[in-house]
Amino acid sequence: MFFVDTIEVAGLGNRSYLAGGERTAVAVDPPRDVDQVIAAAARRGVRITQVVETHVHNDYVTGGLELARITGAAYLVPAGARVSFARTPVHDGDRAAIDPAAGLTLRALATPGHTPHHTSYALEENGTAVAVFTGGSLLIGTVGRPDLVEPRLTEHLARAQHASARRLAAELPEATEVLPTHGFGSFCSATQSEGTATTIGKEKETNDALTRDVDAFVADLLAGLDDIPAYYAHMGPANATGPVPVDLTPPAVADAAEIAARLAAGEWVVDLRNRVAFADGHVSGSFNFEAEGQLATYLAWLIPWGKPVTLLAESPEQLAAAQRELARVGIDRPAAAATGSPADWLRPGETPATFRRATFADLAEAPEAVVLDVRRASEQAGGHIPGSVHIPLHTLHRRLDEIPAGEVWVHCAGGMRAAIAASLLDAAGRDVVAVDDSFEEARKAGLTA
């Protein structure tokens, strides 16, 4: 008998896995905060004997090196990956015993495409593949994007993705469970996946890489590639060098005077509360990145890399969860932090800053408003409000001077990104209204073209 436990890294749209038998197990593509992997192994009563990477990741800092060090496990990394630490290099066809008593073996399958060295791993029970860890190769209904390594390699890697997907489909039984690392909201996915589980057989019926010829597949894949988060440029080098152990101890506590001083010094002060609470009252100059949203993705995408950040949270639990999520993308230690509410973060005599929230129906009643659309270009192309200014959120902090004078009504697709944008504008002294509404309501209100 075997088990496969999924470890969700929801904020980044990724999954990690622990798989094994009654005594020993393998960890696949572990996140930076390895304590949750260790806890999963403890619940199963198994020892982690192998830690494997499908590739050098571009979207998060791996916990693989640290997990191998803590557990004494062998650290298996594709042989073609250029890394500067000791590891067990994996070649196509290599096998590793996971739990001999259970007949469990891991077989490496070279699947270049997401990266040149990408490797998938088939979990075999008594010689038959029962699951395959596909990393950024074959995903649910799509594949991993091929444009994160080097622009000149993108088309070559897109073609390799097609061949790799077909190799997996040809060599593995149709009942084999497909277990990707990316594709649950991750920007490493070429398109967004639908569904949470799949098999080789299902992918043969629905995945473009397996139903279309290579030229048509590559043309559509390249045409549909979306923006790349800026922080991705720092993840690959960090993983190739070997990440340092993560430190999740609480940050230094900042009082109101220190918060004001850090704002005056041009540092980022980030309020983690939900967007409704932030709009109702916040420290002037602070930015709103909701802890319950895609905190790590958008904060790491927007913040100048290496700039000190102070976190404001409503509770120690919210702060600890945010600190953990940010460590996964290399924002290791907040400069300081505080918990409570604006009343705790403001100096005597100061009052909270506020801005309005509204719906698209409200916007329809304000025909002279300056409308700012902060969705990505791929979203905006599918429908927009005529006359609106389009500045994707991830570029907004550098382009504030492009927004016309007047009250700015800012929207996205659902409200979260609009709230971030509204906080940036509010901190810059603009009069702003955050449209906290689904873009489908803009269509219903007759606002879209």
Side-chain angles (χ1 to χ4, degrees):
M1 292 294 292
F2 71 94
F3 73 86
V4 177
D5 288 343
T6 299
I7 299 167
E8 297 280 356
V9 190
L12 297 177
N14 286 332
R15 289 178 173 178
S16 176
Y17 302 94
L18 181 74
E22 292 185 359
R23 298 181 180 179
T24 52
V26 58
V28 181
D29 288 344
R32 182 86 179 281
D33 47 326
V34 298
D35 56 334
Q36 59 181 324
V37 184
I38 294 171
R43 287 191 294 271
R44 285 285 185 178
V46 296
R47 180 168 58 92
I48 298 173
T49 55
Q50 279 97 9
V51 177
V52 304
E53 304 281 8
T54 56
H55 60 294
V56 175
H57 303 283
N58 289 293
D59 63 326
Y60 70 94
V61 181
T62 181
L65 184 63
E66 178 67 0
L67 182 60
R69 184 191 68 79
I70 292 172
T71 62
Y75 190 28
L76 281 60
V77 178
R82 296 182 179 179
V83 297
S84 56
F85 49 81
R87 90 288 195 198
T88 301
V90 178
H91 300 86
D92 185 38
D94 284 355
R95 280 182 162 83
I98 302 305
D99 190 321
L104 295 178
T105 303
L106 207 63
R107 177 166 65 98
L109 295 142
T111 47
H114 187 48
T115 66
H117 60 266
H118 191 284
T119 301
S120 298
Y121 299 88
L123 180 65
E124 297 177 341
E125 183 181 37
N126 298 319
T128 299
V130 292
V132 59
F133 303 104
T134 56
S137 183
L138 184 67
L139 310 185
I140 300 177
T142 184
V143 296
R145 61 192 299 169
D147 60 331
L148 302 180
V149 177
E150 160 60 53
R152 291 172 294 182
L153 294 177
T154 297
E155 182 173 350
H156 167 76
L157 290 176
R159 292 180 177 277
Q161 279 289 50
H162 187 269
S164 292
R166 291 187 169 228
R167 180 191 181 186
L168 293 173
E171 294 190 17
L172 300 175
E174 291 198 352
T176 305
E177 190 173 5
V178 176
L179 302 172
T181 300
H182 305 311
F184 310 95
S186 168
F187 280 88
C188 274
S189 178
T191 59
Q192 289 309 304
S193 301
E194 294 184 4
T196 59
T198 192
T199 63
I200 289 292
K202 291 178 182 177
E203 291 307 303
K204 282 184 176 181
E205 297 175 354
T206 60
N207 196 301
D208 281 353
L210 303 176
T211 61
R212 307 187 69 190
D213 69 77
V214 63
D215 290 333
F217 167 78
V218 169
D220 283 353
L221 178 64
L222 298 184
L225 292 174
D226 214 331
D227 299 303
I228 300 173
Y231 71 92
Y232 277 27
H234 305 281
M235 301 296 96
N239 288 324
T241 301
V244 299
V246 66
D247 179 3
L248 295 177
T249 58
V253 177
D255 60 15
E258 183 176 350
I259 292 169
R262 290 188 177 278
L263 283 168
E267 297 182 10
W268 278 37
V269 173
V270 172
D271 191 326
L272 301 167
R273 296 174 303 144
N274 71 68
R275 56 187 182 261
V276 176
F278 184 87
D280 285 345
H282 55 271
V283 176
S284 181
S286 62
F287 303 140
N288 181 215
F289 290 80
E290 291 180 304
E292 290 75 22
Q294 290 179 282
L295 168 65
T297 295
Y298 284 102
L299 180 54
W301 198 338
L302 270 67
I303 192 170
W305 198 251
K307 181 176 281 290
V309 59
T310 295
L311 301 178
L312 306 180
E314 62 186 6
S315 67
E317 293 76 18
Q318 186 182 65
L319 174 61
Q323 187 178 346
R324 177 181 290 268
E325 188 170 347
L326 293 176
R328 293 171 181 158
V329 293
I331 301 178
D332 283 7
R333 294 294 299 165
T339 58
S341 68
D344 305 300
W345 307 328
L346 292 167
R347 294 172 296 186
E350 293 180 324
T351 57
T354 64
F355 55 75
R356 292 169 54 206
R357 295 170 52 253
T359 65
F360 282 109
D362 297 325
L363 178 57
E365 301 299 320
E368 302 303 316
V370 175
V371 180
L372 174 63
D373 181 348
V374 297
R375 295 174 300 159
R376 296 186 301 278
S378 58
E379 299 172 282
Q380 197 256 2
H384 65 280
I385 297 174
S388 60
V389 178
H390 178 234
I391 303 178
L393 174 61
H394 61 275
T395 68
L396 181 61
H397 56 304
R398 301 189 301 269
R399 301 173 59 186
L400 293 174
D401 59 351
E402 298 179 28
I403 303 170
E407 184 178 67
V408 182
W409 291 57
V410 57
H411 80 84
C412 59
M416 182 195 73
R417 287 174 292 172
I420 297 173
S423 72
L424 296 175
L425 290 163
D426 177 72
R430 296 298 301 267
D431 189 8
V432 63
V433 178
V435 179
D436 193 356
D437 204 359
S438 167
F439 192 70
E440 181 59 32
E441 297 302 314
R443 296 187 174 92
K444 293 178 181 178
L447 291 171
T448 62

